[in-house]
Amino acid sequence: MHLVESGGGLVRAGGSLRLSCTTSGFAFDKQPNDYAIGWFRRAPGKEREGVSVISISESTTTYSDSVKGRFTISKDNAKNTVYLQMNSLQPEDTAVYYCAARAFPLTLSLLEYEYDYWGQGTQVTVSS
């Protein structure tokens, strides 16, 4: 499986960005599609943390408390792409954002060690 992130950039506080994670290796709308795809981020000097996850087969989602109500994860089955819409961005959201995938998820975990496939990351910088 191959994951490619895009959509990062520089934005002012209060602004919005939409990240994309384009995948290859399986089709979202065809069996087997029992995968979870998550967004993680690593801020300068901090450990990588889980932000949001979506089940490809069930379309269920989960969010970390730090982004709940501001970020929305979604998917486009036709494009095999997962999006992260980020609104009301704050300087503390500055980080490298990664998407990751895991097969046969029992839960929508935000723990990075449970994910097997990773993209290269995209930088998001929020200025105050």
Side-chain angles (χ1 to χ4, degrees):
M1 180 181 299
H2 192 54
L3 306 165
V4 179
E5 303 96 334
S6 61
L10 173 64
V11 65
R12 291 184 177 180
S16 299
L17 282 175
R18 188 179 77 160
L19 305 183
S20 299
C21 174
T22 302
T23 72
S24 60
F26 78 104
F28 281 19
D29 58 354
K30 295 180 180 177
Q31 298 286 348
N33 63 347
D34 192 12
Y35 286 87
I37 293 182
W39 285 97
F40 296 77
R41 66 185 182 186
R42 177 178 282 144
K46 295 186 178 181
E47 294 186 354
R48 189 155 54 186
E49 64 169 339
V51 173
S52 183
V53 177
I54 187 168
S55 164
I56 299 304
S57 59
E58 303 295 327
S59 300
T60 49
T61 61
T62 193
Y63 297 90
S64 67
D65 288 343
S66 61
V67 306
K68 198 172 295 183
R70 300 188 298 125
F71 291 10
T72 302
I73 193 169
S74 62
K75 63 184 177 74
D76 185 328
N77 287 349
K79 297 181 178 180
N80 292 332
T81 297
V82 171
Y83 301 100
L84 186 68
Q85 178 67 44
M86 305 186 296
N87 298 330
S88 302
L89 283 162
Q90 300 301 316
E92 51 265 35
D93 294 316
T94 294
V96 178
Y97 283 71
Y98 302 87
C99 66
R102 60 176 294 200
F104 308 114
L106 296 178
T107 63
L108 295 182
S109 173
L110 291 173
L111 299 175
E112 64 168 313
Y113 67 81
E114 296 193 9
Y115 288 77
D116 304 306
Y117 308 96
W118 290 84
Q120 82 289 350
T122 185
Q123 176 70 47
V124 171
T125 303
V126 184
S127 64
S128 56

